[in-house]
Amino acid sequence: MGRLQRTLSNITEESGADNGCIGIVAGSVDYPNQPAIVGRAALRTGSDHVRAVVTEEIYEIVAGHDPNLLASKYEGERFDAVAVERVVEVSEWADAMVIGPGFADAEPGAVSEAIDRIDVPIVVDAIAIEPALEADLSNAILTPNESEEDAIAESYESLEAFTRETGAVLTFTGDTDEIIADGERTKNETGTSALTVAGTGDTLAGITASLLGQGSDREEAAELGAWILGKSGELATAEHGPGVLATDVIDRIPDTIR
């Protein structure tokens, strides 16, 4: 914990510098709010600019969610090969990317192609995790929960083996979050049972991407991201009790990193 707090202090002290641009590829007709949750979490963690790239079907919802969030759209109702080109354009502007939250009907081949073509560090979340296994993950952090672990376990002997063979970093979320990198596990000690509420996975993705965009390496961003989410969840739960929402957690991020 002391090392993470020192890292957090360094980030806070450098907050006057360029704090990075984050691109988010997420959402669907069934899950239109996920891009905004990810984006708000990244902004609260200190990113200067955050842009969500979404289907035209949900563009107005996302664009109207928060005046601080930038939004772009691609044609159609789902993420496909045509949308990949727009995402690659945004990735050339961004310092880090997020792909996957709320991606209910994305084409798997388009997801893996996008990951292969994005050169900046990338957080791969939720439904994007399984198709991502066909891509180069040496610049990625994956954030699987226990149900999403199965796709990885079917192809690799263990999560440790997966990180060794692919170069990916994992934030494995559950009762106790664990960061797995180069075959080694590290437990995160912060958090509460209330962090099972919908949207906290999206919050973690936004926090982690923001740290990547501010210059943290992947293992550091994964460890510190889980710590910030857990500590912000503790603060929000102390205020709101069992009715805490993901947005309550996001609003306490500045208190955690201050």
Side-chain angles (χ1 to χ4, degrees), residues 21-25 53 87-88 90-99 118 120-124 209 212:
C21 301
I22 306 301
I24 300 165
V25 191
V53 188
V87 168
V88 171
V90 172
S91 73
E92 293 170 351
W93 161 85
D95 296 293
M97 296 285 290
V98 176
I99 187 168
I118 291 172
V120 296
I122 183 169
V123 178
V124 182
L212 288 172

Side-chain angles (χ1 to χ4, degrees), residues 137-157:
L137 297 174
S138 59
N139 206 22
I141 298 173
L142 280 67
T143 57
N145 58 29
E146 292 178 352
S147 64
E148 294 157 350
E149 174 194 14
D150 293 342
I152 300 173
E154 288 174 5
S155 301
Y156 295 85
E157 180 182 346

Side-chain angles (χ1 to χ4, degrees), residues 21-28 31-39 42 50-56 58 62 69-75 77-94 96-107 110-129 131 143 202 205-206 209:
C21 301
I22 306 301
I24 300 165
V25 191
S28 62
Y31 299 96
N33 298 307
Q34 271 51 50
I37 293 175
V38 177
V50 178
R51 180 176 296 278
V53 188
V54 300
T55 169
E56 61 184 356
I58 65 170
V62 176
L69 180 66
L70 308 175
S72 297
K73 60 184 175 182
Y74 51 83
E75 295 181 0
E77 298 181 0
R78 62 188 306 206
F79 186 77
D80 57 17
V82 175
V84 170
E85 301 304 322
R86 182 70 184 109
V87 168
V88 171
E89 290 177 10
V90 172
S91 73
E92 293 170 351
W93 161 85
M97 296 285 290
V98 176
I99 187 168
F103 247 16
D105 50 6
E107 291 184 3
V111 173
S112 58
E113 180 186 355
I115 293 170
D116 276 334
R117 293 179 60 187
I118 291 172
D119 291 330
V120 296
I122 183 169
V123 178
V124 182
D125 184 46
I127 293 172
I129 289 174
T143 57
D202 309 316

Side-chain angles (χ1 to χ4, degrees), residues 198-220:
T200 52
D202 309 316
T203 302
L204 175 64
I207 293 170
T208 305
S210 178
L211 295 169
L212 288 172
Q214 294 178 60
S216 293
D217 64 39
R218 288 181 298 138
E219 185 173 355
E220 181 179 79

